């Protein structure tokens, strides 16, 4: 890992193994990296597993500033810590959002993170054909016989988590109906706008939306959701704009978007 000057804030984002030049397989790890990249703070990505995390889930971060290192779990609280300690600027404050606009952003954040993403993750791990793809993408480089053992363990762990939050108790049809409702709402809300609040620059909710769109379009493990997004000129244009702005190295993601644009 790189050595940073003591006076310069630096973040180590600990998450699941991340493919080179592509979004993370974890939506929350990707969301956090989007904020870090957008803010301009010095950061690096480290590889770990959820069992080693303070709250048993990723991401968590080691934040080095003012001669100390602070470990913070959970993407939401990591971002809040960085803003409250003046280590990054709050994109909502910079954009001049009103209290009402900030409240709307927070409501959409909860909708995306707590309901929509849970429904998408359910598809990845509960549906056998999707699980086969997801396991190959995440664990494909792992040596036999560890690969099926680790893959099975993570499937069991994720399915248990999804069950505990309630999404696993729904049928596949019900979970996908929730995805469709969220897609239609998001597409309608973003239609005609460069960014969520119709400004000239991204705000916090734009970074969150983009993080999860990039995550879900970079995998073939959630085809139901991805197919809807790939048919949406509004969401494709937004994802392409944000990728070009923040992660131009995501060549495969850009190629997937451009292939759909050209075919249309």
């Amino acid at each position: 890992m790189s050595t940073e000057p003591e006076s310069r804030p630096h973040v180590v984002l600990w998450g699941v193994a991340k493919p080179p030049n592509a979004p993370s397989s974890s939506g929350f790890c990707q969301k956090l990296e989007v904020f870090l990249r957008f803010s301009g703070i010095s950061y690096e990505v480290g590889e770990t597993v959820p069992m080693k995390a303070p709250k048993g889930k990723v991401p968590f971060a080691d934040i080095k500033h003012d001669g100390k290192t602070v470990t913070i779990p959970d993407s939401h609280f990591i971002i809040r810590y960085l803003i409250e300690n003046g280590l990054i600027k709050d994109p909502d404050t910079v954009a001049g959002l009103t209290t009402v606009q900030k409240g709307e952003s927070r409501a959409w954040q909860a909708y995306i993170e707590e309901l929509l993403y849970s429904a998408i993750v359910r598809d990845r791990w509960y549906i056998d054909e999707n699980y086969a793809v997801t396991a190959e993408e995440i664990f494909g480089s792992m040596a036999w016989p560890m690969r099926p053992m680790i893959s099975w363990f993570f499937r069991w762990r994720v399915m248990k988590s999804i069950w505990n939050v309630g999404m696993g108790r729904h049928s596949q049809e019900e979970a996908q109906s929730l995805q469709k409702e969220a897609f239609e709402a998001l597409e309608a809300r973003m239609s005609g706008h460069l960014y969520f609040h119709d400004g000239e620059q991204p705000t916090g909710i734009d970074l969150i939306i983009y993080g999860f769109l990039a995550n879900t379009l970079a995998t073939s493990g959630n085809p139901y959701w991805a197919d809807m997004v790939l048919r949406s000129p509004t969401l494709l244009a937004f994802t392409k704009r944000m990728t070009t702005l923040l992660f131009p190295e995501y060549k495969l993601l850009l190629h997937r978007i451009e292939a759909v644009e050209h075919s249309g």
Side-chain angles (χ1 to χ4, degrees), residues 108 111 180-190:
W108 271 92
Y111 187 21
K180 187 173 187 293
E181 290 172 0
F183 164 77
E184 291 173 347
L186 183 60
E187 184 181 46
R189 183 62 182 80
M190 298 292 289

Side-chain angles (χ1 to χ4, degrees), residues 152-206:
W152 175 88
F153 173 76
F154 270 85
R155 187 185 198 188
W156 170 81
R157 182 183 174 91
V158 173
M159 290 178 72
K160 180 181 178 182
S161 175
I162 294 298
W163 178 269
N164 287 340
V165 300
M167 188 58 67
R169 302 164 196 259
H170 298 316
S171 68
Q172 178 180 332
E173 291 74 19
E174 289 169 335
Q176 290 183 342
S177 74
L178 295 174
Q179 293 180 52
K180 187 173 187 293
E181 290 172 0
F183 164 77
E184 291 173 347
L186 183 60
E187 184 181 46
R189 183 62 182 80
M190 298 292 289
S191 180
H193 306 298
L194 284 178
Y195 299 112
F196 188 90
H197 289 292
D198 203 23
E200 297 183 355
Q201 58 188 340
T203 61
I205 190 60
D206 293 293

Side-chain angles (χ1 to χ4, degrees), residues 122 133 146:
R122 184 199 183 284
V133 172
M146 291 299 296

Side-chain angles (χ1 to χ4, degrees), residues 30-258:
Q30 185 62 33
K31 162 198 162 183
L32 178 56
E33 187 172 5
V34 171
F35 269 86
L36 297 176
R37 181 70 65 92
F38 180 77
S39 73
I41 194 171
S42 171
Y43 80 92
E44 62 187 285
V45 176
E47 179 181 337
T48 188
V49 291
M51 293 76 76
K52 294 183 179 180
K55 291 185 177 180
K57 62 179 184 176
V58 291
F60 67 98
D62 289 333
I63 304 171
K64 305 175 184 179
H65 70 102
D66 299 322
K68 62 184 178 181
T69 299
V70 181
T71 300
I72 306 290
D74 193 287
S75 62
H76 179 77
F77 294 106
I78 294 167
I79 293 165
R80 194 169 79 174
Y81 181 91
L82 293 170
I83 291 172
E84 290 177 350
N85 285 273
L87 303 178
I88 67 173
K89 293 181 179 179
D90 180 0
D92 292 350
T93 300
V94 172
L97 296 190
T98 66
T99 301
V100 171
Q101 288 174 316
K102 291 179 181 179
E104 183 184 9
S105 294
R106 190 67 179 93
W108 271 92
Q109 177 184 352
Y111 187 21
I112 292 167
E113 294 183 359
E114 306 301 332
L115 187 143
L116 172 59
Y117 189 60
S118 291
I120 293 171
V121 170
R122 184 199 183 284
D123 269 13
R124 292 178 185 172
W125 296 91
Y126 272 68
I127 300 173
D128 288 340
E129 53 267 37
N130 292 352
Y131 163 67
V133 172
T134 300
E136 179 62 28
E137 290 177 347
I138 298 176
F139 307 110
S141 62
M142 191 173 292
W144 189 273
M146 291 299 296
R147 182 170 62 187
M149 294 171 58
I150 297 297
S151 178
W152 175 88
F153 173 76
F154 270 85
R155 187 185 198 188
W156 170 81
R157 182 183 174 91
V158 173
M159 290 178 72
K160 180 181 178 182
S161 175
I162 294 298
W163 178 269
N164 287 340
V165 300
M167 188 58 67
R169 302 164 196 259
H170 298 316
S171 68
Q172 178 180 332
E173 291 74 19
E174 289 169 335
Q176 290 183 342
S177 74
L178 295 174
Q179 293 180 52
K180 187 173 187 293
E181 290 172 0
F183 164 77
E184 291 173 347
L186 183 60
E187 184 181 46
R189 183 62 182 80
M190 298 292 289
S191 180
H193 306 298
L194 284 178
Y195 299 112
F196 188 90
H197 289 292
D198 203 23
E200 297 183 355
Q201 58 188 340
T203 61
I205 190 60
D206 293 293
L207 302 181
I208 291 168
I209 292 169
Y210 170 67
F212 287 100
L213 285 174
N215 164 265
T216 54
L217 289 180
T219 175
S220 297
N222 43 243
Y224 181 80
W225 169 260
D227 286 349
M228 289 190 292
V229 175
L230 291 171
R231 292 196 301 269
S232 169
T234 294
L235 297 184
L236 279 186
F238 173 77
T239 306
K240 182 178 181 180
R241 184 182 313 116
M242 294 292 287
T243 303
T244 303
L245 174 67
L246 296 176
F247 294 95
E249 70 269 27
Y250 288 178
K251 300 299 184 184
L252 290 178
L253 176 57
L254 287 170
H255 177 74
R256 188 177 193 185
I257 295 171
E258 290 166 357

